[in-house]
Amino acid sequence: MKHVGIIGMGRAGTVLAYMLAQHDYHVQIVLRRPQSTAVTIKDQEFAVKTLAQVVEEAEILMIATPDKVIGDIVQALSVMDLTRLRAVFHLSGAVSTDILDPLRTQKVAVGSLHPLQSMADLEQSLIHLPGSTLTYDGDPAMLAWIEDLTARLNCRLVVAPPEMNKALYHAGASMASNFLVTLAAMGSECLRQAGFSEEEARKALTALMRGTLGNLENLPPERALTGPIVRGDAETVRMHLDVLNTYIPNLLPAYGALGALTGAMARQTGSLPAPQHELLQGFFK
């Protein structure tokens, strides 16, 4: 099954279209507001077709639209003849596969295939997607095809258990990815007010964060944790709170909330003795 239709050309749709084409899949694109009969991604040209045309020609259909549009696409598909289609997947990490149930009446396999990767830029996404996790939640009948696709893209596959809480899964992914950027912005603001240029702050902090992520690749979070809180260094933590209160008070709530969670983790693992933990928790209230 090498004929794939992709509905939508957001970040995930664009990246997957290009990578699938690089692995000899025949990819056609459906756009809600097409302005031409073809789109070019890097050096690859893709035909732009209507939804009706793609349904007649593709074997696999991937819905790569914003979450709020998936239901509209399913409604449009439900009144079409889907005889040629083998499967319809959406790429959302938050939306249940139940939204695709109206298509089951035509014996089409359905599921979600979520790339667990940050896709802010095409070039960076093409670098980072290999090695990433694809989370599959859907009909077992398509698992062999999903496994083959995952291997071709050099990704890791996780098959979601039936009881998986998808909202909780997506919340965890969002915190680990989106809030990492927020933390970098917070740290950058501190360094810039301390005297670094914006470029110096960005380079310094991304190198620091790469080191931390490298630790997390090889160690559980509690062993990767470093810094004044896990050491029970109340004097340094107090200094942080005082200087933030003076210069960047809007960061105090985040520092306090994250500090309390960090202290609790350090206490649970025994790294932080109870007296120091109680003292630090008092700072964070």
Side-chain angles (χ1 to χ4, degrees):
M1 289 176 282
K2 304 285 283 188
H3 285 72
V4 178
I6 297 181
I7 305 173
M9 287 292 283
R11 293 169 182 171
T14 300
V15 170
L16 280 176
Y18 184 80
M19 293 192 73
L20 287 173
Q22 295 302 298
H23 289 86
D24 299 322
Y25 289 83
H26 177 67
V27 180
Q28 296 176 322
I29 305 298
V30 178
L31 300 177
R32 285 188 291 167
R33 290 180 288 273
Q35 297 180 345
S36 65
T37 59
V39 294
T40 300
I41 305 172
K42 289 173 65 69
D43 56 348
Q44 188 78 40
E45 186 174 276
F46 297 86
V48 175
K49 300 291 186 75
T50 66
L51 182 59
Q53 288 172 323
V54 169
V55 163
E56 290 179 355
E57 299 172 12
E59 299 163 288
I60 305 293
L61 195 59
M62 293 184 174
I63 303 175
T65 62
D67 290 359
K68 63 182 180 181
V69 181
I70 295 174
D72 296 336
I73 301 297
V74 172
Q75 184 176 7
L77 288 170
S78 67
V79 297
M80 294 181 176
D81 181 0
L82 307 182
T83 302
R84 178 172 169 78
L85 278 179
R86 292 288 304 278
V88 177
F89 305 121
H90 70 63
L91 303 184
S92 171
V95 176
S96 169
T97 56
D98 292 347
I99 199 171
L100 302 172
D101 281 351
L103 307 181
R104 293 182 186 274
T105 59
Q106 298 199 48
K107 298 182 179 179
V108 175
V110 300
S112 67
L113 184 65
H114 180 237
L116 199 58
Q117 184 53 262
S118 173
M119 297 185 184
D121 169 83
L122 175 61
E123 295 293 343
Q124 290 300 310
S125 298
L126 294 174
I127 293 170
H128 294 308
L129 186 60
S132 301
T133 292
L134 300 181
T135 304
Y136 178 61
D137 177 17
D139 291 341
M142 292 304 299
L143 185 55
W145 188 86
I146 293 292
E147 289 173 338
D148 180 70
L149 173 67
T150 303
R152 289 173 184 269
L153 298 181
N154 194 27
C155 292
R156 302 186 187 96
L157 178 65
V158 171
V159 178
E163 68 277 8
M164 186 179 86
N165 186 322
K166 203 160 189 182
L168 193 58
Y169 155 82
H170 197 259
S174 295
M175 285 190 287
S177 176
N178 307 154
F179 293 172
L180 185 65
V181 178
T182 306
L183 287 170
M186 292 165 57
S188 179
E189 177 67 13
C190 292
L191 264 63
R192 285 188 288 112
Q193 291 213 27
F196 277 52
S197 70
E198 184 172 350
E199 182 178 3
E200 289 169 340
R202 178 174 55 82
K203 289 183 176 180
L205 290 176
T206 51
L208 173 62
M209 295 170 88
R210 274 196 299 272
T212 302
L213 290 173
N215 293 337
L216 283 168
E217 281 190 311
N218 298 289
L219 299 169
E222 59 273 12
R223 289 186 57 201
L225 188 61
T226 63
I229 294 176
V230 71
R231 295 195 303 266
D233 186 351
E235 183 176 344
T236 297
V237 172
R238 181 76 264 176
M239 178 183 67
H240 290 173
L241 293 168
D242 288 343
V243 75
L244 288 174
N245 186 55
T246 300
Y247 292 98
I248 322 176
N250 62 298
L251 297 187
L252 274 174
Y255 188 102
L258 292 170
L261 290 170
T262 302
M265 180 168 63
R267 178 69 193 120
Q268 286 175 354
T269 61
S271 303
L272 183 63
Q276 285 93 331
H277 178 242
E278 291 177 8
L279 176 61
L280 290 173
Q281 292 301 93
F283 290 171
F284 299 139
K285 290 181 180 178

